[in-house]
Amino acid sequence: MNWYPWLNAHYHQLVEQHILGRGHHALLIHALRGNGKNALIYGLSRWLLCQKRQGKKSCGQCHSCHLMLAGHHPDCHLFKIKENQRNLGIDSIRQVIEKLSHHPQQGGARVISIPNVHDLTVAAVNALLKTLEEPPKNTYFLLGCHTPSVLMPTLKSRCFCWRLFNPPTNLTLTWLAEKTGADPILVSTALKLSSGAPLSALSLLQKDRWNERVFFCLTLSDVLSRQNFLALLPQLNHDNIEDTLHWLISLLLDALKYHHGITFSMINEDQQPLVEKLATLFSISGLFKILRQSIYCRHQLLSIVGINKELLLTEQLLNFENALNEL
């Protein structure tokens, strides 16, 4: 697994707590998507399971390290949701709890890694609580989440919570520029669209994905010129709908900033003509109206299983036309 320079300080602080005898058996790492949470969890797992630690580093040479590098350590239990799953159920948790009643196969520590603990069902969390409260000796739970507010308070109360903040913007911009060689304006835009998360920005800057965004912006500009908003439906109604609506919402926010002369804080630095076109076509009240509707539309699409996407998006695009006609 790749390692990232902004994780070093977090890793050293967490490992030092264990060296000093103050390490908690259950660690809950809170981070935005794209901040390297999974890499940090893997690095900590490597150190906890290493049989010949070298200070704050795992040796990389012992049998446990070789097993970790191969991805087959019998005392490291990794829980990740599969492509055909919506959540992690109680059966998988019960299986690992049953294994914890036996001695570690390598005779050292054991790690239960759940990088996205919010994927657990309520029943699965309840099955985990007792073990979290009274864990077997030398057993560590490394949990990760993006939105701790949705987690059960009883789960959070049994964990030591650690916030993995975004790295400093200037360091991230330098890192992204070195990784991609992209124009500074594009790098800055990608980082803002990713809420400051480096790996999310790096993913967005990949050629195919960035071209998707550029094509969406070109289509939106054409739709605005012709004032035929339903022509935008094919661009929205596809598997990438979450990102596309996020891009649309960011453009509407920028148009509001343009109305108020706050151009220095624009997100879409590479799309100023499009932002100006939105600000020209819609009044401030119109932009506020369709912005609220767009946010609510995205929330419904992400939270309601089986919702009719095409119908919901068609309604949203008609709302755009109504806001335009109100001028």
Side-chain angles (χ1 to χ4, degrees):
M1 181 174 287
N2 293 327
W3 187 255
Y4 308 104
W6 59 87
L7 298 178
N8 290 336
H10 296 276
Y11 172 84
H12 288 299
Q13 290 178 62
L14 289 168
V15 166
E16 186 174 10
Q17 290 183 6
H18 285 280
I19 292 174
L20 296 174
R22 298 199 295 263
H24 201 282
H25 69 275
L27 174 68
L28 176 62
I29 299 175
H30 168 213
L32 289 178
R33 295 182 189 275
N35 264 346
K37 163 179 56 65
N38 292 4
L40 181 58
I41 288 175
Y42 176 78
L44 293 170
S45 300
R46 282 272 306 269
W47 186 85
L48 288 167
L49 292 167
C50 180
Q51 296 167 338
K52 297 179 181 178
R53 299 168 186 162
Q54 299 176 352
K56 295 179 182 178
K57 295 182 179 180
S58 51
C59 71
Q61 302 298 322
C62 69
H63 187 52
S64 281
C65 283
H66 287 156
L67 289 171
M68 283 295 289
L69 290 169
H72 301 300
H73 199 298
D75 295 321
C76 183
H77 306 281
L78 174 63
F79 290 86
K80 292 182 70 175
I81 198 166
K82 298 177 182 178
E83 289 186 7
N84 60 343
Q85 289 181 307
R86 290 191 60 86
N87 48 48
L88 292 167
I90 189 172
D91 290 339
S92 56
I93 297 298
R94 281 176 172 167
Q95 287 172 12
V96 76
I97 290 174
E98 194 278 330
K99 290 179 181 179
L100 294 180
S101 64
H102 306 293
H103 292 292
Q105 293 190 36
Q106 295 301 307
R110 286 179 295 200
V111 171
I112 292 83
S113 173
I114 312 178
N116 298 306
V117 72
H118 39 68
D119 288 337
L120 294 175
T121 62
V122 173
V125 172
N126 285 328
L128 184 63
L129 290 178
K130 180 66 174 177
T131 309
L132 278 177
E133 189 170 8
E134 299 177 6
K137 184 180 178 181
N138 216 15
T139 299
Y140 301 94
F141 295 83
L142 302 180
L143 315 177
C145 72
H146 304 300
T147 50
S149 60
V150 305
L151 299 181
M152 293 171 60
T154 47
L155 174 66
K156 290 188 287 186
S157 66
R158 288 164 170 79
C159 299
F160 175 68
C161 297
W162 186 270
R163 181 70 183 271
L164 180 58
F165 290 98
N166 289 339
T169 300
N170 59 334
L171 296 180
T172 306
L173 291 173
T174 301
W175 183 81
L176 287 170
E178 292 173 352
K179 287 289 183 181
T180 64
D183 182 275
I185 290 179
L186 303 188
V187 171
S188 178
T189 299
L191 188 59
K192 290 178 181 179
L193 284 169
S194 304
S195 302
L199 300 183
S200 295
L202 182 63
S203 175
L204 179 56
L205 285 167
Q206 299 308 303
K207 185 176 180 180
D208 289 346
R209 190 139 177 263
W210 189 259
N211 286 342
E212 284 183 21
R213 175 181 170 272
V214 171
F215 184 67
F216 168 74
C217 291
L218 289 172
T219 304
L220 177 59
S221 181
D222 181 61
V223 163
L224 291 173
S225 296
R226 294 187 288 115
Q227 297 186 19
N228 178 19
F229 292 94
L230 288 177
L232 195 61
L233 184 61
Q235 270 286 295
L236 293 173
N237 191 21
H238 56 69
D239 292 339
N240 198 29
I241 188 170
E242 180 179 353
D243 288 337
T244 309
L245 283 174
H246 173 61
W247 298 336
L248 175 60
I249 289 167
S250 72
L251 288 163
L252 294 172
L253 282 169
D254 280 347
L256 280 169
K257 294 174 186 176
Y258 184 87
H259 263 294
H260 292 285
I262 317 175
T263 55
F264 64 88
S265 65
M266 281 191 179
I267 299 169
N268 300 274
E269 298 178 50
D270 63 327
Q271 295 292 333
Q272 291 193 22
L274 177 55
V275 171
E276 291 177 16
K277 184 179 287 188
L278 279 166
T280 301
L281 282 173
F282 293 96
S283 64
I284 292 177
S285 60
L287 283 170
F288 266 119
K289 181 177 180 179
I290 57 178
L291 176 60
R292 287 195 300 269
Q293 291 167 341
S294 297
I295 293 172
Y296 182 62
C297 173
R298 185 172 183 268
H299 171 73
Q300 287 182 298
L301 288 167
L302 294 178
S303 60
I304 302 176
V305 178
I307 194 169
N308 189 323
K309 292 196 297 183
E310 185 172 0
L311 182 61
L312 187 63
L313 291 169
T314 300
E315 180 185 20
Q316 177 58 28
L317 293 173
L318 290 174
N319 289 335
F320 270 68
E321 290 192 7
N322 293 334
L324 190 65
N325 293 331
E326 288 177 4
L327 293 177

